[in-house]
Amino acid sequence: MIVRTRFAPSPTGFLHIGGARTALFSWAYAKKHGGAFILRIEDTDVARSTPEAVQAILDGMQWLGLDYDEGPFYQMQRMDRYKQVIQTMLQQGSAYYCYSSKTELDTLREQQMADKQKPRYDGKWRPEAGKVLPAIPTDISPVIRFKNPQDGVVVWDDLVKGRIEIANSELDDLIIARADGTPTYNFCVVVDDWEMGITQVIRGDDHVNNTPRQINMLKALGAKIPQYAHLSMILGGDGQKLSKRHGAVSVMQYDEDGYLPEAVLNYLSRLGWSHGDEEVFSMHQFCEWFDLDHITSSAAQFNTEKLNWLNNHYIKQASAESLLGDITKRLAKLNVSVSETPNLPAVIDLYKERANTLNELAASIAYFYQKPIMDLVAAEKHLTVEIKPAIATLADLLKAVDWQAEAIHHAINEVVTQYQLKFPKVAMPLRVMLTGIAQSPSIDQVMKLMGREEVLARITNH
RNA sequence: GUCCCCAUCGUCUAGAGGCCUAGGACACCUCCCUUUCACGGAGGCGACCCGGGUUCGAAUCCCGGUGGGGACGCCA
């Protein structure tokens, strides 16, 4: 059997981290099995769906490199087909019109809640053999409901959670078409998963409760039942549920914040899934290893520190050339324009191992291209009056020295010897004068990149 | 309330009855490297939710608690 998976977001917001992981797992499953990954936009909620959200989802997937083999399909463009299927169901008796009004239903729900019962439709308009239906009201346009079986249980072997059984008595007759005739989510999903030949439905576990209803409809339609895999949710760093109000951000925010897609992908892969002790791996490797058996069924908390660690890894691994354009852009955002010297790729190479994000990297090298911002605490500590003569001597030496890290290092050593100091006694003030702060890579390397003229100018300024 | 799901270090996880005095990773701490900060290297701290059972033997199986989460829309 050819594997066909899908990612089916509703375009009511950006692609967040949970959606991204769901997409990633679906994508990887299809890749692993040489199958097809399908993108389907579930935009039947006309009031909340927006073209901007569609674009945001597409952008997010593109940034992550989650390419789809088919789609994007839009449910709004498949209305005719859904309506056809509804007509068929009406004819064969697996669906029926319901004239209960919204207020009637609301009252019913409140009453059931008050009686500590599970709120559900009371079956008022459900046709049964020998049952006399109420007179059809003239002022109400009916909805269409699915005639769910009342006996027995729905069972499926969830690929993540194992066997799940839900009694039909727990289910009620759900609405499959609204009063205006438009089909609802649970119904569209069924038709689409069926007609798109989806073999594995991989989705968030907030859909577990929809699954038995969908299986029943699939059965009513005589469709093959796909396998289901319900992924647990991702919690925020504080263990709280992610929501728009609380911590849920677009994957594009990670781009903005200086994360590499490789790092985000690698991080997400290990959130709820594992392959022994493997922590760092490419997407190519992930697709080979990925399976549904090693997915954890409990919710996972998002941990920025680990993401940072992975991001640092991928930044270190990236070539300076590949980061060049990105870093230039990020410097521009800091109002720093890159000049020809110091050579940006060389600077990136020297600094990339110390940055957790590309933003940090850009910020850390800004002083090569603009006047350093003096850290007053560091200045007070290191730029002492006593050290001035030694620095002056060094400045003289530097005018003539061969401008290589090693020669510069020797020059500093000469001064150290002459004044009988420890190396840091000279290196630290130098560092602060040149960079404004007390931490940097090896000072001779920094000086070499900065250039003789600029180094001398910055020393003279103090 | 009803139904469903979940439960190993602070966090992500390994673990399919004996390989478990519970392994790895992030974070944290110490030391080494060192020119400061990082990187890197070596150590350390640190967990099987509770109670019963099954078994020669349970983190692993069963039952019951407790705790957390989800669903219960003419939203998706």
Side-chain angles (χ1 to χ4, degrees):
Chain A
M1 185 179 63
I2 307 234
V3 163
R4 292 172 65 80
T5 64
R6 45 67 155 193
F7 177 54
S10 64
T12 54
F14 41 64
L15 177 66
H16 56 83
I17 214 73
R21 191 189 56 161
T22 304
L24 171 65
F25 284 10
S26 270
W27 173 84
Y29 190 85
K31 290 264 182 261
K32 154 93 178 238
H33 296 279
F37 174 59
I38 296 152
L39 177 62
R40 184 170 80 217
I41 306 293
E42 312 218 317
D43 53 357
T44 53
D45 184 353
V46 184
R48 293 199 300 155
S49 299
T50 65
E52 291 75 26
V54 171
Q55 195 51 51
I57 291 166
L58 261 24
D59 289 347
M61 291 188 65
Q62 189 182 27
W63 183 66
L64 290 171
L66 300 177
D67 51 322
Y68 32 90
D69 303 295
E70 293 174 30
F73 297 110
Y74 295 85
Q75 290 188 321
M76 283 309 282
Q77 291 171 12
R78 289 175 45 77
M79 280 300 131
D80 293 347
R81 181 56 193 145
Y82 302 137
K83 287 177 183 174
Q84 270 175 19
V85 178
I86 288 174
Q87 282 312 310
T88 312
M89 291 173 77
L90 245 15
Q91 279 158 24
Q92 66 186 27
S94 56
Y96 63 91
Y97 287 104
C98 165
Y99 294 85
S100 294
S101 69
K102 270 186 190 175
T103 46
E104 202 179 333
L105 259 17
D106 286 344
T107 316
L108 177 68
R109 199 177 356 258
E110 276 166 39
Q111 184 57 247
Q112 288 166 326
M113 292 284 252
D115 293 346
K116 308 202 167 193
Q117 286 181 327
K118 188 173 185 165
R120 69 225 307 168
Y121 178 59
D122 61 1
K124 183 175 178 186
W125 294 90
R126 177 181 170 113
E128 302 285 4
K131 176 179 172 186
V132 181
L133 262 19
I136 294 176
T138 49
D139 56 338
I140 291 189
S141 29
V143 298
I144 300 171
R145 289 185 185 267
F146 171 64
K147 197 176 175 189
N148 197 78
Q150 289 177 313
D151 305 313
V153 286
V154 184
V155 183
W156 78 95
D157 289 303
D158 196 276
L159 266 14
V160 172
K161 293 180 186 289
R163 172 160 292 225
I164 299 179
E165 290 189 25
I166 291 172
N168 274 320
S169 57
E170 289 298 326
L171 273 22
D172 64 357
D173 292 349
L174 74 155
I175 292 170
I176 59 175
R178 303 178 180 94
D180 65 4
T182 57
T184 59
Y185 164 77
N186 267 300
F187 178 74
C188 297
V189 167
V190 161
V191 175
D192 286 346
D193 284 343
W194 171 33
E195 297 197 335
M196 291 174 186
I198 303 303
T199 53
Q200 279 79 21
V201 173
I202 301 170
R203 65 194 350 176
D205 71 356
D206 47 332
H207 288 290
V208 166
N209 293 278
N210 289 324
T211 306
R213 300 172 189 283
Q214 293 178 7
I215 289 176
N216 280 336
M217 285 191 274
L218 252 4
K219 281 183 184 161
L221 290 167
K224 194 164 188 291
I225 315 295
Q227 290 184 297
Y228 292 92
H230 288 101
L231 273 23
S232 297
M233 55 190 304
I234 298 178
L235 272 21
D238 55 2
Q240 295 297 111
K241 187 192 174 181
L242 288 173
S243 65
K244 265 167 234 144
R245 258 197 74 220
H246 185 82
V249 294
S250 165
V251 291
M252 296 314 287
Q253 185 64 43
Y254 289 90
D255 179 26
E256 188 87 1
D257 291 347
Y259 290 93
L260 254 12
E262 296 93 307
V264 173
L265 250 7
N266 194 156
Y267 178 72
L268 250 24
S269 306
R270 276 293 281 103
L271 203 56
W273 175 85
S274 60
H275 185 78
D277 289 341
E278 302 293 342
E279 296 286 351
V280 182
F281 44 80
S282 67
M283 280 304 101
H284 177 75
Q285 185 61 263
F286 177 57
C287 288
E288 264 176 35
W289 284 339
F290 186 68
D291 60 61
L292 265 11
D293 301 334
H294 291 83
I295 291 180
T296 330
S297 41
S298 55
Q301 210 168 305
F302 193 88
N303 184 246
T304 307
E305 266 103 41
K306 190 151 182 182
L307 208 213
N308 283 343
W309 172 72
L310 278 166
N311 204 42
N312 172 254
H313 169 84
Y314 285 103
I315 289 175
K316 275 188 289 187
Q317 195 182 270
S319 69
E321 283 67 32
S322 68
L323 297 175
L324 200 56
D326 187 280
I327 293 300
T328 306
K329 264 188 236 156
R330 287 178 204 271
L331 280 166
K333 270 193 196 157
L334 299 170
N335 291 317
V336 177
S337 56
V338 176
S339 44
E340 228 164 275
T341 51
N343 178 262
L344 186 52
V347 173
I348 290 174
D349 267 328
L350 187 59
Y351 281 72
K352 66 183 184 185
E353 74 173 24
R354 19 194 346 112
N356 280 337
T357 69
L358 297 169
N359 287 349
E360 278 180 28
L361 178 51
S364 72
I365 63 177
Y367 55 63
F368 279 98
Y369 304 99
Q370 67 177 16
K371 197 166 168 285
I373 298 153
M374 210 35 76
D375 173 350
L376 296 178
V377 177
E380 192 177 345
K381 183 171 176 197
H382 298 291
L383 302 185
T384 56
V385 186
E386 304 87 76
I387 202 66
K388 279 195 166 178
I391 297 293
T393 309
L394 177 64
D396 272 341
L397 283 174
L398 289 174
K399 282 172 192 159
V401 87
D402 177 28
W403 204 252
Q404 294 302 326
E406 206 183 326
I408 294 168
H409 192 94
H410 279 140
I412 299 173
N413 264 335
E414 252 179 75
V415 177
V416 164
T417 315
Q418 189 182 328
Y419 286 82
Q420 295 193 307
L421 298 165
K422 296 270 189 205
F423 194 97
K425 229 23 195 167
V426 179
M428 287 310 292
L430 204 47
R431 176 170 283 122
V432 174
M433 283 187 283
L434 298 179
T435 70
I437 54 176
Q439 307 89 321
S440 83
S442 187
I443 194 63
D444 45 18
Q445 301 272 9
V446 171
M447 290 163 80
K448 178 192 181 267
L449 289 178
M450 198 168 274
R452 190 195 314 264
E453 232 176 283
E454 186 63 25
V455 166
L456 258 15
R458 289 187 188 192
I459 291 175
T460 314
N461 268 338
H462 287 278

